[in-house]
Coordinates of all heavy atoms in Angstrom, one line a residue:
R268 N 54.7 -38.4 7.9 CA 53.3 -37.9 7.8 C 53.4 -36.5 7.1 O 54.2 -35.7 7.4 CB 52.7 -37.8 9.2 CG 51.3 -37.2 9.3 CD 50.8 -37.3 10.6 NE 49.7 -36.4 10.9 CZ 48.7 -36.6 11.7 NH1 48.7 -37.7 12.5 NH2 47.7 -35.7 11.9
V269 N 52.4 -36.4 6.2 CA 52.3 -35.1 5.4 C 50.9 -34.7 5.4 O 50.0 -35.5 5.4 CB 52.9 -35.2 4.0 CG1 54.4 -35.5 4.0 CG2 52.2 -36.3 3.2
A270 N 50.7 -33.4 5.2 CA 49.3 -32.8 5.1 C 48.8 -32.9 3.7 O 49.6 -32.8 2.7 CB 49.3 -31.3 5.5
L271 N 47.5 -33.3 3.5 CA 46.9 -33.4 2.2 C 45.8 -32.3 2.1 O 45.3 -31.8 3.1 CB 46.3 -34.8 2.1 CG 47.2 -36.0 2.2 CD1 46.4 -37.3 2.1 CD2 48.3 -35.9 1.2
D272 N 45.4 -32.0 0.9 CA 44.3 -31.1 0.7 C 43.1 -31.6 1.4 O 42.8 -32.8 1.5 CB 44.0 -31.0 -0.8 CG 45.0 -30.3 -1.6 OD1 45.9 -29.7 -1.0 OD2 45.1 -30.4 -2.8
G273 N 42.3 -30.6 2.0 CA 41.1 -31.0 2.7 C 41.3 -31.2 4.1 O 40.3 -31.6 4.8
G274 N 42.5 -31.1 4.6 CA 42.7 -31.3 6.1 C 43.1 -32.7 6.5 O 43.4 -32.9 7.7
A275 N 43.1 -33.7 5.6 CA 43.5 -35.0 5.9 C 45.1 -35.1 6.0 O 45.8 -34.1 5.6 CB 43.0 -36.0 4.9
H276 N 45.6 -36.2 6.4 CA 47.0 -36.4 6.3 C 47.3 -37.8 5.6 O 46.5 -38.7 5.6 CB 47.7 -36.4 7.7 CG 47.4 -37.5 8.6 ND1 46.3 -37.6 9.4 CD2 48.0 -38.7 8.7 CE1 46.3 -38.7 10.1 NE2 47.3 -39.4 9.7
G277 N 48.5 -37.8 5.0 CA 48.9 -39.1 4.4 C 50.3 -39.4 4.7 O 50.9 -38.8 5.7
W278 N 50.9 -40.3 4.0 CA 52.3 -40.8 4.3 C 53.1 -40.9 3.1 O 52.6 -41.2 2.0 CB 52.2 -42.2 5.0 CG 51.4 -42.2 6.2 CD1 50.0 -42.4 6.4 CD2 51.8 -41.9 7.6 NE1 49.6 -42.3 7.7 CE2 50.7 -42.0 8.4 CE3 53.1 -41.6 8.1 CZ2 50.8 -41.7 9.8 CZ3 53.2 -41.3 9.4 CH2 52.1 -41.4 10.3
V279 N 54.4 -40.6 3.2 CA 55.4 -40.8 2.2 C 56.6 -41.4 2.8 O 56.8 -41.5 4.0 CB 55.8 -39.4 1.5 CG1 54.6 -38.8 0.8 CG2 56.4 -38.5 2.6
L280 N 57.5 -41.9 1.9 CA 58.8 -42.4 2.4 C 59.7 -41.3 2.9 O 59.5 -40.2 2.5 CB 59.5 -43.2 1.2 CG 58.8 -44.5 0.8 CD1 59.5 -45.0 -0.5 CD2 58.8 -45.5 1.8
P281 N 60.6 -41.7 3.8 CA 61.6 -40.7 4.3 C 62.3 -40.0 3.1 O 62.7 -40.6 2.2 CB 62.5 -41.5 5.1 CG 61.8 -42.7 5.5 CD 60.8 -43.0 4.4
G282 N 62.3 -38.7 3.2 CA 63.0 -37.9 2.2 C 62.2 -37.7 0.9 O 62.7 -37.1 0.0
D283 N 60.9 -38.1 0.9 CA 60.1 -38.0 -0.3 C 59.0 -37.0 -0.1 O 57.9 -37.1 -0.7 CB 59.5 -39.3 -0.6 CG 58.9 -39.4 -2.1 OD1 59.4 -38.6 -2.9 OD2 58.0 -40.2 -2.3
D284 N 59.2 -36.0 0.8 CA 58.1 -35.1 1.1 C 58.3 -33.7 0.4 O 57.6 -32.8 0.8 CB 58.1 -34.9 2.7 CG 59.4 -34.5 3.3 OD1 60.4 -34.5 2.6 OD2 59.4 -34.2 4.5
E285 N 59.2 -33.7 -0.5 CA 59.3 -32.4 -1.3 C 58.3 -32.4 -2.4 O 57.9 -33.4 -3.0 CB 60.7 -32.3 -1.9 CG 61.8 -32.2 -0.9 CD 61.7 -31.0 -0.1 OE1 61.3 -29.9 -0.6 OE2 62.1 -31.1 1.1
E286 N 57.8 -31.2 -2.8 CA 56.9 -31.1 -3.9 C 57.6 -31.4 -5.2 O 58.7 -31.1 -5.4 CB 56.3 -29.7 -3.9 CG 55.3 -29.4 -2.8 CD 54.6 -28.0 -3.0 OE1 54.7 -27.5 -4.1 OE2 54.0 -27.6 -2.1
E287 N 56.8 -32.0 -6.1 CA 57.3 -32.3 -7.5 C 57.3 -31.0 -8.3 O 56.4 -30.2 -8.2 CB 56.4 -33.3 -8.1 CG 56.4 -34.7 -7.5 CD 57.5 -35.6 -8.1 OE1 58.2 -35.1 -9.1 OE2 57.8 -36.7 -7.5
G288 N 58.2 -30.9 -9.2 CA 58.2 -29.8 -10.2 C 57.1 -30.1 -11.2 O 56.5 -31.2 -11.3
P289 N 56.7 -29.0 -11.9 CA 55.6 -29.1 -12.8 C 56.0 -29.9 -14.1 O 57.1 -30.1 -14.4 CB 55.3 -27.7 -13.2 CG 56.6 -27.0 -13.0 CD 57.3 -27.6 -11.9
V290 N 54.9 -30.5 -14.7 CA 55.1 -31.1 -16.0 C 54.0 -30.6 -16.9 O 53.0 -30.0 -16.5 CB 54.9 -32.7 -15.9 CG1 56.0 -33.3 -15.1 CG2 53.5 -33.1 -15.4
G291 N 54.2 -30.7 -18.2 CA 53.2 -30.2 -19.2 C 52.0 -31.1 -19.1 O 52.0 -32.2 -18.6
P292 N 50.9 -30.6 -19.7 CA 49.7 -31.4 -19.8 C 49.9 -32.7 -20.5 O 50.8 -32.8 -21.4 CB 48.7 -30.5 -20.6 CG 49.3 -29.1 -20.5 CD 50.8 -29.2 -20.4
W293 N 49.2 -33.7 -20.1 CA 49.4 -35.0 -20.7 C 48.1 -35.8 -20.8 O 47.1 -35.5 -20.1 CB 50.4 -35.9 -19.9 CG 50.0 -36.0 -18.4 CD1 50.3 -35.1 -17.4 CD2 49.3 -37.0 -17.8 NE1 49.9 -35.5 -16.2 CE2 49.2 -36.7 -16.4 CE3 48.7 -38.2 -18.2 CZ2 48.5 -37.5 -15.5 CZ3 48.0 -39.0 -17.3 CH2 48.0 -38.7 -16.0
A294 N 48.0 -36.7 -21.8 CA 46.9 -37.6 -22.0 C 47.3 -39.0 -21.9 O 48.4 -39.4 -22.3 CB 46.3 -37.3 -23.4
A295 N 46.4 -39.9 -21.4 CA 46.7 -41.3 -21.3 C 45.4 -42.1 -21.5 O 44.3 -41.7 -21.0 CB 47.4 -41.6 -20.0
L296 N 45.5 -43.3 -22.1 CA 44.4 -44.2 -22.2 C 44.8 -45.5 -21.4 O 45.7 -46.1 -21.8 CB 44.1 -44.5 -23.6 CG 43.7 -43.4 -24.5 CD1 43.3 -43.9 -25.9 CD2 42.5 -42.6 -24.0
L297 N 44.1 -45.7 -20.3 CA 44.5 -46.8 -19.4 C 43.4 -47.9 -19.5 O 42.2 -47.7 -19.7 CB 44.6 -46.4 -18.0 CG 45.6 -45.2 -17.8 CD1 45.8 -44.9 -16.3 CD2 47.0 -45.6 -18.4
P298 N 43.8 -49.2 -19.4 CA 42.9 -50.3 -19.5 C 42.0 -50.6 -18.3 O 42.2 -50.0 -17.2 CB 43.8 -51.5 -19.8 CG 45.1 -51.2 -19.0 CD 45.2 -49.7 -19.2
T299 N 41.1 -51.5 -18.4 CA 40.3 -52.0 -17.3 C 41.2 -52.4 -16.2 O 42.2 -53.1 -16.3 CB 39.5 -53.2 -17.8 OG1 38.6 -52.8 -18.8 CG2 38.7 -53.8 -16.7
L300 N 40.8 -51.9 -15.0 CA 41.5 -52.3 -13.7 C 42.9 -51.9 -13.7 O 43.7 -52.5 -13.0 CB 41.3 -53.8 -13.4 CG 39.9 -54.3 -13.2 CD1 40.0 -55.8 -13.1 CD2 39.3 -53.7 -11.9
D301 N 43.3 -50.8 -14.5 CA 44.7 -50.4 -14.5 C 45.1 -50.0 -13.0 O 44.3 -49.5 -12.2 CB 44.9 -49.2 -15.4 CG 46.3 -48.8 -15.5 OD1 47.1 -49.4 -16.3 OD2 46.7 -47.8 -14.7
A302 N 46.4 -50.3 -12.7 CA 46.9 -50.1 -11.4 C 46.8 -48.6 -10.9 O 46.7 -48.3 -9.8 CB 48.3 -50.6 -11.3
T303 N 46.9 -47.6 -11.9 CA 46.8 -46.2 -11.5 C 45.3 -45.9 -11.1 O 45.1 -45.4 -10.0 CB 47.2 -45.3 -12.7 OG1 48.6 -45.5 -12.9 CG2 46.9 -43.9 -12.3
T304 N 44.4 -46.3 -11.9 CA 43.0 -46.1 -11.6 C 42.6 -46.8 -10.2 O 41.8 -46.2 -9.5 CB 42.1 -46.6 -12.7 OG1 42.6 -46.2 -14.0 CG2 40.6 -46.2 -12.5
M305 N 43.1 -47.9 -10.0 CA 42.8 -48.7 -8.8 C 43.8 -48.6 -7.6 O 43.8 -49.4 -6.7 CB 42.7 -50.2 -9.2 CG 41.7 -50.5 -10.3 SD 39.9 -50.2 -9.8 CE 39.7 -51.4 -8.6
G306 N 44.6 -47.6 -7.7 CA 45.7 -47.5 -6.7 C 45.4 -46.9 -5.3 O 46.1 -47.2 -4.4
W307 N 44.3 -46.2 -5.2 CA 43.9 -45.5 -4.0 C 42.5 -45.8 -3.7 O 41.6 -46.0 -4.6 CB 44.1 -44.0 -4.1 CG 45.4 -43.5 -4.3 CD1 46.3 -43.1 -3.3 CD2 46.1 -43.2 -5.6 NE1 47.5 -42.6 -3.9 CE2 47.4 -42.7 -5.3 CE3 45.7 -43.4 -6.9 CZ2 48.2 -42.3 -6.3 CZ3 46.6 -43.1 -7.9 CH2 47.8 -42.6 -7.6
R308 N 42.1 -45.8 -2.4 CA 40.7 -45.9 -2.0 C 40.1 -44.5 -2.2 O 39.0 -44.4 -2.7 CB 40.6 -46.3 -0.6 CG 39.1 -46.5 -0.2 CD 39.0 -46.9 1.3 NE 37.6 -47.1 1.6 CZ 37.1 -47.4 2.8 NH1 38.0 -47.5 3.8 NH2 35.8 -47.5 3.0
G309 N 40.8 -43.5 -1.7 CA 40.3 -42.1 -1.9 C 40.7 -41.6 -3.3 O 41.9 -41.3 -3.5
R310 N 39.7 -41.3 -4.1 CA 40.1 -41.0 -5.5 C 39.6 -39.6 -6.0 O 39.7 -39.3 -7.2 CB 39.4 -42.0 -6.4 CG 39.9 -43.4 -6.2 CD 39.1 -44.5 -6.8 NE 39.7 -45.8 -6.5 CZ 39.0 -47.0 -6.6 NH1 37.8 -47.0 -7.0 NH2 39.6 -48.1 -6.3
D311 N 39.1 -38.8 -5.0 CA 38.6 -37.5 -5.4 C 39.6 -36.6 -6.1 O 39.2 -35.7 -6.9 CB 38.0 -36.8 -4.2 CG 36.8 -37.4 -3.7 OD1 36.4 -38.5 -4.2 OD2 36.2 -36.9 -2.7
F312 N 40.9 -36.8 -5.9 CA 41.9 -35.9 -6.5 C 42.1 -36.2 -7.9 O 42.7 -35.4 -8.6 CB 43.2 -36.0 -5.7 CG 44.0 -37.3 -5.9 CD1 45.0 -37.4 -6.8 CD2 43.7 -38.4 -5.1 CE1 45.7 -38.6 -7.0 CE2 44.4 -39.6 -5.2 CZ 45.4 -39.7 -6.2
Y313 N 41.6 -37.3 -8.4 CA 41.6 -37.5 -9.9 C 40.3 -38.0 -10.5 O 40.2 -38.2 -11.7 CB 42.7 -38.6 -10.2 CG 42.5 -40.0 -9.7 CD1 41.8 -40.9 -10.4 CD2 43.1 -40.3 -8.5 CE1 41.6 -42.2 -9.9 CE2 42.9 -41.6 -8.0 CZ 42.2 -42.5 -8.7 OH 42.0 -43.8 -8.2
L314 N 39.3 -38.0 -9.7 CA 38.0 -38.5 -10.2 C 36.8 -37.8 -9.5 O 36.8 -37.8 -8.3 CB 37.9 -40.0 -9.9 CG 36.6 -40.7 -10.2 CD1 36.3 -40.7 -11.7 CD2 36.6 -42.2 -9.6
D315 N 36.0 -37.2 -10.3 CA 34.8 -36.6 -9.7 C 33.8 -37.7 -9.2 O 33.5 -38.6 -10.0 CB 34.1 -35.7 -10.8 CG 33.0 -34.9 -10.2 OD1 32.3 -35.3 -9.3 OD2 32.8 -33.7 -10.7
P316 N 33.4 -37.7 -8.0 CA 32.6 -38.7 -7.5 C 31.3 -38.9 -8.3 O 30.7 -40.0 -8.3 CB 32.2 -38.3 -6.0 CG 33.4 -37.4 -5.6 CD 33.8 -36.7 -6.9
R317 N 30.8 -37.9 -8.9 CA 29.6 -38.0 -9.7 C 29.8 -38.9 -10.9 O 28.8 -39.4 -11.5 CB 29.1 -36.6 -10.2 CG 28.7 -35.7 -9.0 CD 28.4 -34.3 -9.5 NE 29.7 -33.7 -10.1 CZ 29.7 -32.5 -10.7 NH1 28.6 -31.8 -10.8 NH2 30.8 -32.0 -11.2
D318 N 31.1 -39.0 -11.3 CA 31.4 -39.8 -12.5 C 31.5 -41.3 -12.3 O 31.7 -42.1 -13.2 CB 32.6 -39.3 -13.2 CG 32.5 -37.9 -13.7 OD1 31.3 -37.5 -14.0 OD2 33.5 -37.1 -13.7
V319 N 31.6 -41.7 -11.0 CA 31.9 -43.1 -10.6 C 30.9 -44.1 -11.3 O 31.3 -45.1 -11.9 CB 31.9 -43.3 -9.1 CG1 31.9 -44.8 -8.7 CG2 33.1 -42.6 -8.5
P320 N 29.6 -43.8 -11.3 CA 28.7 -44.8 -12.0 C 28.9 -45.0 -13.4 O 28.6 -46.1 -14.0 CB 27.3 -44.2 -11.7 CG 27.5 -43.3 -10.5 CD 28.8 -42.7 -10.7
Y321 N 29.5 -44.0 -14.1 CA 29.8 -44.2 -15.5 C 31.1 -45.0 -15.8 O 31.2 -45.6 -16.8 CB 30.1 -42.8 -16.1 CG 28.8 -42.0 -16.4 CD1 28.5 -40.9 -15.5 CD2 28.0 -42.3 -17.4 CE1 27.4 -40.2 -15.7 CE2 26.8 -41.5 -17.6 CZ 26.5 -40.5 -16.8 OH 25.4 -39.7 -17.0
L322 N 32.0 -45.1 -14.8 CA 33.3 -45.6 -15.0 C 33.6 -46.9 -14.2 O 34.5 -47.7 -14.6 CB 34.4 -44.6 -14.6 CG 34.3 -43.3 -15.4 CD1 35.1 -42.2 -14.7 CD2 34.8 -43.5 -16.8
F323 N 32.8 -47.2 -13.2 CA 33.0 -48.3 -12.3 C 31.8 -49.2 -12.2 O 30.7 -48.6 -12.3 CB 33.4 -47.9 -10.9 CG 34.8 -47.3 -10.8 CD1 34.9 -45.9 -11.2 CD2 35.8 -47.9 -10.2 CE1 36.2 -45.3 -11.1 CE2 37.1 -47.3 -10.1 CZ 37.3 -46.0 -10.5
D324 N 31.9 -50.5 -12.1 CA 30.7 -51.3 -11.8 C 30.3 -51.2 -10.4 O 31.0 -50.6 -9.6 CB 30.9 -52.7 -12.4 CG 31.9 -53.5 -11.5 OD1 32.3 -53.1 -10.4 OD2 32.3 -54.6 -12.0
T325 N 29.2 -51.9 -10.0 CA 28.7 -51.8 -8.6 C 29.7 -52.5 -7.6 O 29.6 -52.2 -6.4 CB 27.4 -52.5 -8.5 OG1 27.4 -53.8 -9.0 CG2 26.3 -51.7 -9.3
N326 N 30.6 -53.3 -8.1 CA 31.6 -53.9 -7.2 C 32.9 -53.1 -7.1 O 33.9 -53.5 -6.5 CB 32.0 -55.3 -7.7 CG 30.8 -56.2 -7.5 OD1 30.1 -56.2 -6.5 ND2 30.6 -57.1 -8.5
G327 N 32.9 -51.9 -7.8 CA 34.1 -51.1 -7.7 C 35.2 -51.4 -8.7 O 36.3 -50.9 -8.6
N328 N 34.9 -52.2 -9.8 CA 35.8 -52.5 -10.8 C 35.8 -51.4 -11.9 O 34.8 -51.1 -12.5 CB 35.5 -53.8 -11.4 CG 35.6 -54.9 -10.4 OD1 36.6 -55.2 -9.8 ND2 34.5 -55.7 -10.2
A329 N 37.0 -50.8 -12.2 CA 37.1 -49.8 -13.2 C 37.2 -50.3 -14.6 O 37.9 -51.3 -14.8 CB 38.3 -48.9 -12.9
G330 N 36.5 -49.7 -15.5 CA 36.7 -50.0 -16.9 C 37.8 -49.2 -17.5 O 38.6 -48.6 -16.8

Side-chain angles (χ1 to χ4, degrees):
R268 178 169 160 156
V269 294
L271 303 177
D272 290 344
H276 71 269
W278 300 92
V279 296
L280 289 174
D283 195 27
D284 52 352
E285 297 296 325
E286 289 189 10
E287 293 272 352
V290 297
W293 54 275
L296 301 184
L297 303 185
T299 296
L300 296 174
D301 184 83
T303 295
T304 311
M305 302 293 294
W307 297 266
R308 182 180 183 187
R310 299 167 179 160
D311 290 2
F312 70 95
Y313 63 89
L314 173 66
D315 189 322
R317 295 172 298 177
D318 296 330
V319 169
Y321 285 103
L322 301 164
F323 293 75
D324 68 15
T325 54
N326 292 319
N328 298 302

